[in-house]
């Protein structure tokens, strides 16, 4: 039986792994389908303390994993398919295999929000993508007009990154002001290759018939005017949805599916703790996820100690 099973290997999960491993609990850390989490798809992380020059997102996650493994964490590629958290020991089904655990830390993160268009789903990976750093350098996008959708830091980062490859980057945002941090917004708005398309939403992505992206249809939400923007790629960066479906009806969540911690990192089930983006609709930063991972680890350690008493 495992002392601690950590679901997720983003900043929250791996920080929880470092702390529980240093407490000699030999945590089992399950990667899910995206080892390293969303940060591995970022280019440079400039706001994680301790890296004055910035750090590559993939490298940061790699370092966290190495740090956890150095103290005895076991990182395993595996997806949790089912959870039995209503009785102890807790049981998890991981790629068909049962795993028993005294405590569980949920650090399952968040996934990309979709626009919800039929054409978006049909053209995914055929010019529609949710990750500029993963796909931006593909030959199909080189020297072509590109579209980024969104107005937050992710959209700003994607747009800036894509200026290296595209001939022009149209940034389609539903309002006339970016949500992104001031520094990112200033970089975007002063970049000669980025053309903001304000007050606009994407209503369709063309061309499903040709099985590739050729343009987007956009509608101005203030005037109702519709336009077509030619492009070879659409990069959607409109935020995230928490990866918490597995816990629905078991662990308390808010209406958007974010897990609601009780005090600190505790959930409604004693012995099950939560950390990171799956429980954070406010801050959603690498450093806050790491901090929550630390809290969850300390609480899991204390819970295990209380079981021994
Ligand atoms: P976000 O801050 O939630 O921004 C999402 C953007 O998408 C908003 O501009 C929103 O518009 C727009 N949007 C949402 N739903 C939409 C829809 N259905 N159709 C069209 N537009 C839609 O998400 P994020 O940019 O992914 O950032 C998440 C968190 O990570 C933030 O806390 C951010 O600061 C952080 N982050 C930081 C960095 C960095 O520091 N370098 C990089 C990436 C992310 P409205 O503005 O109108 O709501």
């Amino acid at each position: 039986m495992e002392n601690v099973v950590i679901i997720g290997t983003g900043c929250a999960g791996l920080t929880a792994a470092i702390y529980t491993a240093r407490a000699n609990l030999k945590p089992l850390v399950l990667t899910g389908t995206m080892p390293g989490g969303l940060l591995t798809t970022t280019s440079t992380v400039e706001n994680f303390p301790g890296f004055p020059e910035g750090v590559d997102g993939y490298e940061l996650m790699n370092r966290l994993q190495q740090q956890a493994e150095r103290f005895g964490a076991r990182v395993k590629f595996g997806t949790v398919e089912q959870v039995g958290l209503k009785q102890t020991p807790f049981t998890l089904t991981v790629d068909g295999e049962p795993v028993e655990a005294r405590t569980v830390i949920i650090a399952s993160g968040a996934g990309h929000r979709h626009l919800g268009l039929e054409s978006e789903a049909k053209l995914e990976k055929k010019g529609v993508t949710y990750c500029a750093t993963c796909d931006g350098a593909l030959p199909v996008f080189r020297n072509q007009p590109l579209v980024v959708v969104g107005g937050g830091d992710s959209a700003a980062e994607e747009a800036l990154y894509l200026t290296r490859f595209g001939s022009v980057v149209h940034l389609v945002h539903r309002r006339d002001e970016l949500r992104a941090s001031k520094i990112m917004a200033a970089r975007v708005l002063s970049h000669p290759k980025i053309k903001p398309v304000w007050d606009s939403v994407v209503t369709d992505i063309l061309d499903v018939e040709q099985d590739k992206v050729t343009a987007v249809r956009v509608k101005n939400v203030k005037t109702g005017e519709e336009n077509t923007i030619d492009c070879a790629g659409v990069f959607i960066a409109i935020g995230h949805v928490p990866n918490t479906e597995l816990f629905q009806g078991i662990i308390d969540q808010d209406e958007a599916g974010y897990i609601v911690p009780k005090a600190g990192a505790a959930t409604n089930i004693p012995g099950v703790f939560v950390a990171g983006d799956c429980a954070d609709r406010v801050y959603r930063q690498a450093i806050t996820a790491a901090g929550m991972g630390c809290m969850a680890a300390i609480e899991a350690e204390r819970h295990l100690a209380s079981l021994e008493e």
Side-chain angles (χ1 to χ4, degrees), residues 40 66 69 80 121 179 193 213 226-227 243:
T40 55
Q66 284 172 21
E69 286 175 335
V80 181
R179 175 179 296 280
K193 271 187 162 183
V213 169
E226 293 202 37
N227 274 307
N243 295 325

Side-chain angles (χ1 to χ4, degrees), residues 47 113 115 150-154 157 173-175 179 237-240 283-285:
N47 48 15
R113 177 177 287 130
L115 290 169
D153 278 321
S154 298
E157 202 172 76
H173 182 36
R174 63 185 179 183
R175 293 187 293 130
R179 175 179 296 280
I238 58 169
H240 301 96
Y283 304 104
R284 293 176 294 181
Q285 303 296 306

